[in-house]
Each structure stands twice: as structure tokens, then as C-alpha cells.
Amino acid sequence: MIGDKGKKTIYNLLIKVSSIFNDFYIFKQGYFISADIEKPFLIQLDSGYISLFTELCGDFKILRVTDVKNFKKSLTDPKTEKDKEKDWPITENYFYSVISNSEVEKITEILKEKINEVNACTKWERFELSDVREENMKLLISLFKENNYINFLPKDNMDGPDIILTKSLLPLVSEKNYTELYYASKKKNSNLYLIVFDFQFSMFRLFMFHYYIPIKE
């Protein structure tokens, strides 16, 4: 049975996860992933967090959290009398252990594909928008604080097209922690490229997978 300290640890983790996923799968091996193609992210956690989910939800190989917001809320107690009058979320209503063979195969294949893409990256570049320090910081503030888009040309693919970067493509990254962000890009075919971002966040490691194509002028 999980204690209050464990619930608080999971709650604090999910505050950050909720900026990446609305729902997700948890693998016993320590991965969070979504089946939503619009959420091309992979989270890798240490075993301590997975042990807490086991204490909370029971033993599992793959767990599905169906609603991050309510799952997170269910780990807290109502704060006011008005809250108590409402139907407060019950944790068990927002997760299940995945046992369907088709669902297991589908999400496992997605995980394998992403892990293979990461393993295929043999060299990682530091994320910088300019070699000039002052210009780099100016562009970082424009991207992360002012929510502007930036044309970014990966250094490992100078013959390829620019990527139109927006803040939404790099969740949890800011002008303050961008030094923990690395990338590797490659050409998949004549008109398709892939860039993989590797970000070491304080709570977990986050990989971001973005396909892009040349922009016709």
C-alpha cells in the first residue's frame, strides 16, 4: 500500500508529465509513451518511480493511464467543503493493466520503433541556435519566452532543410535549461527527415521525435 509520501512523489512527477501527455502507457522497464501520433515523445524513468506506480496500482507489465489530469487529482484530498460535495476522482477509474494482446502488440511496437531510432543516433549535437553567444540567447528567449517560431538548421545535416521550431515541439525545455538538450538528425528518404531530441530533465529523460520535410518556396 502506497503512503502519502509516495503519492506526493507521483503527483509531482505527473505535474511535469501532464505537459507532455494527456494519457499514456507505463512499461515495467521504465518507459512512458503515448499511442497518439501527435505526442511523439518517450520518457525514460528510473526504477524508483516504477516501484511507486506498482505500490499504487498493483503489479503490471504495461499500465495505461487514461486521464492524467484526473489521475493526478485523485492522489490528493478535497481542500474545501465545496470540493467534498463534488464527485472527487477515484484513482482506480483512471488506469488499467493492459492485457489485450492486440493492445500490447500495438504499443510495444511503437516503443520498439522509438528505441530503435534513439539507438541509431551515433552522434549527438548540443542544441544551439547560433554560434554567437549573444545571438543564441536572443533566439532562445524569442523561442521559449516570446513563443515565436525559429528556423533551425541542424549542424549534422547542413545539406538538409531548416526545421521550423516552436516551443510546443520541446516541452519542458526553456532558455534556462536548454544546455541539457541534444539532438541528432538524419535523412529518411528523398523528402523526409527526422530529428531526435534528447533532454535530461530533473525527473526523467525525455526523447522527442519530429519528422520534417523541405519547404517549397
Side-chain angles (χ1 to χ4, degrees), residues 96-144:
Y96 62 86
S97 183
V98 181
I99 57 175
S100 163
N101 288 335
S102 60
E103 190 173 8
V104 168
E105 289 175 5
K106 177 183 177 181
I107 198 62
T108 300
E109 189 59 34
I110 293 174
L111 177 62
K112 286 181 179 178
E113 179 183 340
K114 286 182 165 42
I115 290 177
N116 287 339
E117 291 290 7
V118 171
N119 291 338
C121 298
T122 57
K123 183 181 178 182
W124 295 90
E125 300 284 346
R126 287 182 176 275
F127 178 72
E128 292 180 336
L129 297 174
S130 173
D131 293 330
V132 180
R133 182 178 178 182
E134 292 78 10
E135 180 66 15
N136 183 57
M137 185 53 63
K138 181 180 177 181
L139 290 170
L140 288 169
I141 290 173
S142 178
L143 176 64
F144 293 118

Short mmCIF file of all heavy atoms in Angstrom, two decimals, residues 96-144:
data_model
loop_
_atom_site.label_atom_id
_atom_site.label_comp_id
_atom_site.label_asym_id
_atom_site.label_seq_id
_atom_site.Cartn_x
_atom_site.Cartn_y
_atom_site.Cartn_z
N TYR A 96 -5.64 1.15 -16.05
CA TYR A 96 -5.89 -0.29 -16.10
C TYR A 96 -4.62 -1.00 -16.57
O TYR A 96 -3.77 -0.41 -17.25
CB TYR A 96 -7.07 -0.64 -17.03
CG TYR A 96 -6.89 -0.26 -18.49
CD1 TYR A 96 -6.25 -1.12 -19.38
CD2 TYR A 96 -7.41 0.94 -18.98
CE1 TYR A 96 -6.11 -0.79 -20.72
CE2 TYR A 96 -7.28 1.29 -20.32
CZ TYR A 96 -6.63 0.41 -21.18
OH TYR A 96 -6.49 0.74 -22.51
N SER A 97 -4.48 -2.25 -16.19
CA SER A 97 -3.37 -3.08 -16.63
C SER A 97 -3.70 -3.61 -18.01
O SER A 97 -4.78 -4.15 -18.25
CB SER A 97 -3.15 -4.23 -15.65
OG SER A 97 -2.04 -5.01 -16.02
N VAL A 98 -2.79 -3.44 -18.95
CA VAL A 98 -3.05 -3.82 -20.34
C VAL A 98 -2.85 -5.33 -20.50
O VAL A 98 -1.74 -5.85 -20.28
CB VAL A 98 -2.11 -3.07 -21.30
CG1 VAL A 98 -2.40 -3.46 -22.74
CG2 VAL A 98 -2.25 -1.57 -21.11
N ILE A 99 -3.91 -6.02 -20.87
CA ILE A 99 -3.84 -7.47 -21.05
C ILE A 99 -4.27 -7.91 -22.45
O ILE A 99 -4.01 -9.05 -22.85
CB ILE A 99 -4.69 -8.21 -19.99
CG1 ILE A 99 -6.16 -7.74 -20.06
CG2 ILE A 99 -4.12 -8.00 -18.60
CD1 ILE A 99 -7.08 -8.51 -19.13
N SER A 100 -4.90 -7.02 -23.20
CA SER A 100 -5.31 -7.34 -24.56
C SER A 100 -4.08 -7.54 -25.44
O SER A 100 -3.21 -6.67 -25.50
CB SER A 100 -6.18 -6.22 -25.13
OG SER A 100 -6.28 -6.30 -26.53
N ASN A 101 -3.99 -8.69 -26.11
CA ASN A 101 -2.83 -8.98 -26.95
C ASN A 101 -2.64 -7.93 -28.04
O ASN A 101 -1.51 -7.52 -28.32
CB ASN A 101 -2.96 -10.36 -27.58
CG ASN A 101 -2.77 -11.48 -26.57
OD1 ASN A 101 -2.12 -11.28 -25.55
ND2 ASN A 101 -3.34 -12.64 -26.84
N SER A 102 -3.73 -7.51 -28.64
CA SER A 102 -3.64 -6.53 -29.73
C SER A 102 -3.14 -5.18 -29.22
O SER A 102 -2.32 -4.52 -29.87
CB SER A 102 -5.00 -6.36 -30.43
OG SER A 102 -5.99 -5.90 -29.51
N GLU A 103 -3.60 -4.79 -28.03
CA GLU A 103 -3.15 -3.52 -27.45
C GLU A 103 -1.69 -3.60 -27.02
O GLU A 103 -0.91 -2.66 -27.23
CB GLU A 103 -4.04 -3.13 -26.27
CG GLU A 103 -3.79 -1.72 -25.76
CD GLU A 103 -4.78 -1.28 -24.70
OE1 GLU A 103 -5.58 -2.13 -24.24
OE2 GLU A 103 -4.74 -0.10 -24.31
N VAL A 104 -1.31 -4.75 -26.45
CA VAL A 104 0.08 -4.95 -26.05
C VAL A 104 1.00 -4.88 -27.27
O VAL A 104 2.04 -4.21 -27.26
CB VAL A 104 0.26 -6.31 -25.34
CG1 VAL A 104 1.75 -6.65 -25.19
CG2 VAL A 104 -0.41 -6.29 -23.98
N GLU A 105 0.62 -5.55 -28.35
CA GLU A 105 1.44 -5.58 -29.56
C GLU A 105 1.56 -4.20 -30.18
O GLU A 105 2.64 -3.78 -30.61
CB GLU A 105 0.84 -6.56 -30.57
CG GLU A 105 0.98 -8.02 -30.16
CD GLU A 105 0.26 -8.96 -31.12
OE1 GLU A 105 -0.26 -8.48 -32.15
OE2 GLU A 105 0.21 -10.17 -30.83
N LYS A 106 0.45 -3.48 -30.21
CA LYS A 106 0.44 -2.15 -30.82
C LYS A 106 1.37 -1.19 -30.10
O LYS A 106 2.23 -0.53 -30.71
CB LYS A 106 -0.98 -1.58 -30.83
CG LYS A 106 -1.08 -0.17 -31.38
CD LYS A 106 -2.50 0.36 -31.29
CE LYS A 106 -2.58 1.81 -31.77
NZ LYS A 106 -3.96 2.36 -31.66
N ILE A 107 1.23 -1.10 -28.79
CA ILE A 107 2.02 -0.11 -28.04
C ILE A 107 3.47 -0.56 -27.91
O ILE A 107 4.40 0.28 -27.88
CB ILE A 107 1.39 0.18 -26.65
CG1 ILE A 107 1.94 1.49 -26.09
CG2 ILE A 107 1.57 -0.99 -25.71
CD1 ILE A 107 1.64 2.72 -26.92
N THR A 108 3.71 -1.87 -27.85
CA THR A 108 5.08 -2.38 -27.78
C THR A 108 5.83 -2.07 -29.08
O THR A 108 7.02 -1.74 -29.06
CB THR A 108 5.09 -3.89 -27.51
OG1 THR A 108 4.44 -4.15 -26.26
CG2 THR A 108 6.52 -4.43 -27.46
N GLU A 109 5.14 -2.17 -30.20
CA GLU A 109 5.75 -1.87 -31.49
C GLU A 109 6.12 -0.39 -31.58
O GLU A 109 7.18 -0.04 -32.11
CB GLU A 109 4.78 -2.23 -32.62
CG GLU A 109 5.39 -2.16 -34.01
CD GLU A 109 6.58 -3.08 -34.20
OE1 GLU A 109 6.59 -4.18 -33.60
OE2 GLU A 109 7.51 -2.70 -34.93
N ILE A 110 5.27 0.47 -31.06
CA ILE A 110 5.57 1.91 -31.04
C ILE A 110 6.81 2.18 -30.19
O ILE A 110 7.69 2.95 -30.57
CB ILE A 110 4.36 2.70 -30.51
CG1 ILE A 110 3.19 2.62 -31.50
CG2 ILE A 110 4.74 4.18 -30.28
CD1 ILE A 110 1.90 3.25 -30.99
N LEU A 111 6.88 1.52 -29.04
CA LEU A 111 8.04 1.69 -28.16
C LEU A 111 9.32 1.21 -28.85
O LEU A 111 10.36 1.89 -28.82
CB LEU A 111 7.82 0.93 -26.85
CG LEU A 111 9.00 0.96 -25.87
CD1 LEU A 111 9.30 2.39 -25.42
CD2 LEU A 111 8.72 0.05 -24.67
N LYS A 112 9.27 0.04 -29.45
CA LYS A 112 10.45 -0.51 -30.14
C LYS A 112 10.93 0.42 -31.24
O LYS A 112 12.14 0.63 -31.40
CB LYS A 112 10.11 -1.89 -30.73
CG LYS A 112 10.00 -3.01 -29.72
CD LYS A 112 9.69 -4.32 -30.40
CE LYS A 112 9.60 -5.47 -29.41
NZ LYS A 112 9.26 -6.75 -30.09
N GLU A 113 9.99 0.97 -31.99
CA GLU A 113 10.35 1.87 -33.08
C GLU A 113 11.11 3.09 -32.56
O GLU A 113 12.14 3.49 -33.12
CB GLU A 113 9.08 2.33 -33.82
CG GLU A 113 9.35 3.29 -34.96
CD GLU A 113 8.07 3.78 -35.62
OE1 GLU A 113 7.03 3.11 -35.46
OE2 GLU A 113 8.11 4.83 -36.28
N LYS A 114 10.63 3.66 -31.46
CA LYS A 114 11.28 4.85 -30.90
C LYS A 114 12.64 4.52 -30.29
O LYS A 114 13.61 5.27 -30.44
CB LYS A 114 10.36 5.52 -29.89
CG LYS A 114 9.21 6.27 -30.58
CD LYS A 114 8.32 6.97 -29.61
CE LYS A 114 7.42 8.01 -30.31
NZ LYS A 114 6.84 7.58 -31.57
N ILE A 115 12.73 3.40 -29.60
CA ILE A 115 14.01 3.00 -29.03
C ILE A 115 15.04 2.73 -30.14
O ILE A 115 16.21 3.10 -30.03
CB ILE A 115 13.85 1.76 -28.13
CG1 ILE A 115 13.08 2.15 -26.86
CG2 ILE A 115 15.21 1.17 -27.75
CD1 ILE A 115 12.79 0.99 -25.92
N ASN A 116 14.59 2.11 -31.22
CA ASN A 116 15.49 1.84 -32.34
C ASN A 116 15.99 3.14 -32.97
O ASN A 116 17.16 3.23 -33.37
CB ASN A 116 14.78 0.99 -33.40
CG ASN A 116 14.61 -0.46 -32.98
OD1 ASN A 116 15.32 -0.93 -32.09
ND2 ASN A 116 13.67 -1.16 -33.58
N GLU A 117 15.12 4.14 -33.05
CA GLU A 117 15.53 5.43 -33.62
C GLU A 117 16.58 6.09 -32.72
O GLU A 117 17.54 6.69 -33.21
CB GLU A 117 14.32 6.35 -33.80
CG GLU A 117 13.34 5.94 -34.88
CD GLU A 117 13.89 6.11 -36.30
OE1 GLU A 117 15.09 6.44 -36.45
OE2 GLU A 117 13.13 5.92 -37.25
N VAL A 118 16.39 5.98 -31.41
CA VAL A 118 17.37 6.55 -30.48
C VAL A 118 18.71 5.82 -30.61
O VAL A 118 19.77 6.45 -30.70
CB VAL A 118 16.87 6.46 -29.02
CG1 VAL A 118 17.97 6.84 -28.04
CG2 VAL A 118 15.66 7.38 -28.83
N ASN A 119 18.66 4.50 -30.64
CA ASN A 119 19.89 3.70 -30.73
C ASN A 119 20.63 3.91 -32.04
O ASN A 119 21.85 3.70 -32.11
CB ASN A 119 19.57 2.22 -30.54
CG ASN A 119 19.14 1.88 -29.12
OD1 ASN A 119 19.45 2.63 -28.19
ND2 ASN A 119 18.43 0.80 -28.95
N ALA A 120 19.90 4.33 -33.07
CA ALA A 120 20.53 4.57 -34.38
C ALA A 120 21.28 5.89 -34.42
O ALA A 120 22.05 6.15 -35.36
CB ALA A 120 19.46 4.54 -35.48
N CYS A 121 21.08 6.72 -33.41
CA CYS A 121 21.78 8.01 -33.34
C CYS A 121 23.17 7.79 -32.74
O CYS A 121 23.29 7.48 -31.56
CB CYS A 121 21.00 9.01 -32.49
SG CYS A 121 19.35 9.41 -33.14
N THR A 122 24.20 7.92 -33.56
CA THR A 122 25.56 7.64 -33.12
C THR A 122 26.29 8.87 -32.62
O THR A 122 27.29 8.77 -31.92
CB THR A 122 26.36 7.00 -34.26
OG1 THR A 122 26.34 7.87 -35.39
CG2 THR A 122 25.75 5.66 -34.65
N LYS A 123 25.81 10.05 -32.99
CA LYS A 123 26.47 11.29 -32.57
C LYS A 123 25.40 12.32 -32.22
O LYS A 123 24.46 12.53 -32.98
CB LYS A 123 27.37 11.83 -33.68
CG LYS A 123 28.13 13.08 -33.29
CD LYS A 123 29.00 13.59 -34.43
CE LYS A 123 29.73 14.88 -34.03
NZ LYS A 123 30.53 15.42 -35.15
N TRP A 124 25.58 12.96 -31.09
CA TRP A 124 24.61 13.95 -30.62
C TRP A 124 25.25 15.34 -30.62
O TRP A 124 26.39 15.50 -30.21
CB TRP A 124 24.14 13.61 -29.22
CG TRP A 124 23.37 12.33 -29.16
CD1 TRP A 124 23.88 11.08 -28.95
CD2 TRP A 124 21.95 12.15 -29.33
NE1 TRP A 124 22.88 10.13 -28.98
CE2 TRP A 124 21.69 10.76 -29.20
CE3 TRP A 124 20.90 13.02 -29.56
CZ2 TRP A 124 20.41 10.24 -29.31
CZ3 TRP A 124 19.62 12.50 -29.66
CH2 TRP A 124 19.38 11.13 -29.55
N GLU A 125 24.48 16.32 -31.08
CA GLU A 125 24.94 17.70 -31.13
C GLU A 125 24.31 18.50 -29.99
O GLU A 125 23.15 18.27 -29.62
CB GLU A 125 24.54 18.36 -32.46
CG GLU A 125 25.10 17.68 -33.70
CD GLU A 125 26.58 17.99 -33.92
OE1 GLU A 125 27.09 18.93 -33.26
OE2 GLU A 125 27.20 17.30 -34.73
N ARG A 126 25.07 19.45 -29.45
CA ARG A 126 24.49 20.37 -28.47
C ARG A 126 23.46 21.27 -29.16
O ARG A 126 23.66 21.70 -30.29
CB ARG A 126 25.57 21.25 -27.85
CG ARG A 126 26.47 20.53 -26.88
CD ARG A 126 27.49 21.50 -26.28
NE ARG A 126 28.30 20.86 -25.27
CZ ARG A 126 27.98 20.74 -24.00
NH1 ARG A 126 26.82 21.24 -23.57
NH2 ARG A 126 28.77 20.15 -23.14
N PHE A 127 22.37 21.56 -28.46
CA PHE A 127 21.35 22.42 -29.03
C PHE A 127 21.74 23.88 -28.87
O PHE A 127 21.78 24.41 -27.75
CB PHE A 127 20.00 22.17 -28.36
CG PHE A 127 18.90 23.04 -28.87
CD1 PHE A 127 18.37 22.85 -30.13
CD2 PHE A 127 18.39 24.08 -28.09
CE1 PHE A 127 17.35 23.66 -30.62
CE2 PHE A 127 17.37 24.90 -28.56
CZ PHE A 127 16.86 24.69 -29.83
N GLU A 128 22.05 24.52 -29.99
CA GLU A 128 22.35 25.95 -30.01
C GLU A 128 21.72 26.54 -31.26
O GLU A 128 21.76 25.94 -32.33
CB GLU A 128 23.86 26.19 -30.00
CG GLU A 128 24.53 25.78 -28.71
CD GLU A 128 26.03 26.05 -28.73
OE1 GLU A 128 26.59 26.10 -29.84
OE2 GLU A 128 26.62 26.21 -27.65
N LEU A 129 21.16 27.72 -31.13
CA LEU A 129 20.51 28.38 -32.26
C LEU A 129 21.46 29.30 -33.01
O LEU A 129 21.16 29.75 -34.11
CB LEU A 129 19.29 29.15 -31.78
CG LEU A 129 18.19 28.27 -31.17
CD1 LEU A 129 17.08 29.13 -30.59
CD2 LEU A 129 17.62 27.31 -32.21
N SER A 130 22.59 29.60 -32.38
CA SER A 130 23.62 30.42 -33.01
C SER A 130 24.96 30.15 -32.33
O SER A 130 25.00 29.84 -31.14
CB SER A 130 23.28 31.91 -32.90
OG SER A 130 24.34 32.72 -33.37
N ASP A 131 26.04 30.25 -33.10
CA ASP A 131 27.38 30.08 -32.53
C ASP A 131 27.82 31.31 -31.75
O ASP A 131 28.78 31.25 -30.96
CB ASP A 131 28.40 29.80 -33.64
CG ASP A 131 28.16 28.44 -34.30
OD1 ASP A 131 27.66 27.53 -33.60
OD2 ASP A 131 28.46 28.30 -35.50
N VAL A 132 27.12 32.41 -31.97
CA VAL A 132 27.41 33.66 -31.26
C VAL A 132 26.58 33.69 -29.98
O VAL A 132 25.34 33.59 -30.03
CB VAL A 132 27.11 34.89 -32.13
CG1 VAL A 132 27.42 36.17 -31.35
CG2 VAL A 132 27.89 34.84 -33.43
N ARG A 133 27.22 33.80 -28.84
CA ARG A 133 26.55 33.66 -27.54
C ARG A 133 25.37 34.62 -27.40
O ARG A 133 24.28 34.21 -26.99
CB ARG A 133 27.56 33.90 -26.43
CG ARG A 133 26.98 33.72 -25.04
CD ARG A 133 28.03 33.92 -23.97
NE ARG A 133 27.47 33.79 -22.64
CZ ARG A 133 28.17 33.94 -21.53
NH1 ARG A 133 29.47 34.23 -21.59
NH2 ARG A 133 27.59 33.81 -20.35
N GLU A 134 25.58 35.90 -27.71
CA GLU A 134 24.52 36.89 -27.53
C GLU A 134 23.34 36.61 -28.46
O GLU A 134 22.18 36.71 -28.06
CB GLU A 134 25.06 38.31 -27.79
CG GLU A 134 26.06 38.81 -26.76
CD GLU A 134 27.46 38.21 -26.95
OE1 GLU A 134 27.68 37.55 -28.00
OE2 GLU A 134 28.30 38.39 -26.06
N GLU A 135 23.64 36.23 -29.70
CA GLU A 135 22.58 35.94 -30.66
C GLU A 135 21.84 34.66 -30.26
O GLU A 135 20.61 34.57 -30.40
CB GLU A 135 23.17 35.78 -32.06
CG GLU A 135 22.16 35.47 -33.15
CD GLU A 135 21.17 36.60 -33.41
OE1 GLU A 135 21.44 37.74 -32.96
OE2 GLU A 135 20.14 36.33 -34.05
N ASN A 136 22.57 33.69 -29.75
CA ASN A 136 21.96 32.44 -29.29
C ASN A 136 20.94 32.71 -28.19
O ASN A 136 19.81 32.21 -28.22
CB ASN A 136 23.04 31.47 -28.80
CG ASN A 136 22.47 30.13 -28.37
OD1 ASN A 136 21.82 29.45 -29.14
ND2 ASN A 136 22.74 29.76 -27.13
N MET A 137 21.32 33.52 -27.20
CA MET A 137 20.42 33.82 -26.09
C MET A 137 19.21 34.61 -26.57
O MET A 137 18.08 34.38 -26.13
CB MET A 137 21.17 34.58 -25.00
CG MET A 137 20.34 34.82 -23.75
SD MET A 137 19.57 33.30 -23.06
CE MET A 137 21.06 32.36 -22.63
N LYS A 138 19.43 35.51 -27.50
CA LYS A 138 18.33 36.30 -28.05
C LYS A 138 17.31 35.40 -28.74
O LYS A 138 16.09 35.56 -28.56
CB LYS A 138 18.88 37.32 -29.05
CG LYS A 138 17.83 38.21 -29.68
CD LYS A 138 18.48 39.19 -30.65
CE LYS A 138 17.42 40.04 -31.35
NZ LYS A 138 18.04 41.00 -32.33
N LEU A 139 17.80 34.43 -29.50
CA LEU A 139 16.91 33.50 -30.20
C LEU A 139 16.21 32.55 -29.23
O LEU A 139 15.03 32.21 -29.41
CB LEU A 139 17.69 32.69 -31.24
CG LEU A 139 18.18 33.48 -32.45
CD1 LEU A 139 19.14 32.65 -33.29
CD2 LEU A 139 16.99 33.94 -33.31
N LEU A 140 16.91 32.14 -28.18
CA LEU A 140 16.30 31.27 -27.17
C LEU A 140 15.15 31.96 -26.47
O LEU A 140 14.09 31.37 -26.24
CB LEU A 140 17.36 30.85 -26.14
CG LEU A 140 18.40 29.85 -26.60
CD1 LEU A 140 19.53 29.75 -25.58
CD2 LEU A 140 17.79 28.47 -26.84
N ILE A 141 15.33 33.22 -26.12
CA ILE A 141 14.27 33.99 -25.47
C ILE A 141 13.09 34.18 -26.43
O ILE A 141 11.92 34.08 -26.04
CB ILE A 141 14.81 35.35 -25.00
CG1 ILE A 141 15.78 35.14 -23.83
CG2 ILE A 141 13.67 36.28 -24.58
CD1 ILE A 141 16.49 36.39 -23.39
N SER A 142 13.40 34.40 -27.69
CA SER A 142 12.34 34.55 -28.70
C SER A 142 11.52 33.27 -28.80
O SER A 142 10.29 33.31 -28.90
CB SER A 142 12.96 34.89 -30.05
OG SER A 142 11.97 34.99 -31.04
N LEU A 143 12.20 32.13 -28.76
CA LEU A 143 11.53 30.83 -28.89
C LEU A 143 10.75 30.46 -27.64
O LEU A 143 9.56 30.13 -27.71
CB LEU A 143 12.57 29.75 -29.21
CG LEU A 143 12.07 28.30 -29.28
CD1 LEU A 143 11.09 28.14 -30.43
CD2 LEU A 143 13.27 27.35 -29.45
N PHE A 144 11.41 30.50 -26.49
CA PHE A 144 10.82 29.94 -25.28
C PHE A 144 10.01 30.93 -24.44
O PHE A 144 9.08 30.53 -23.73
CB PHE A 144 11.91 29.32 -24.41
CG PHE A 144 12.56 28.12 -25.02
CD1 PHE A 144 13.91 28.11 -25.33
CD2 PHE A 144 11.82 26.99 -25.31
CE1 PHE A 144 14.51 27.00 -25.90
CE2 PHE A 144 12.40 25.87 -25.88
CZ PHE A 144 13.76 25.87 -26.17
#
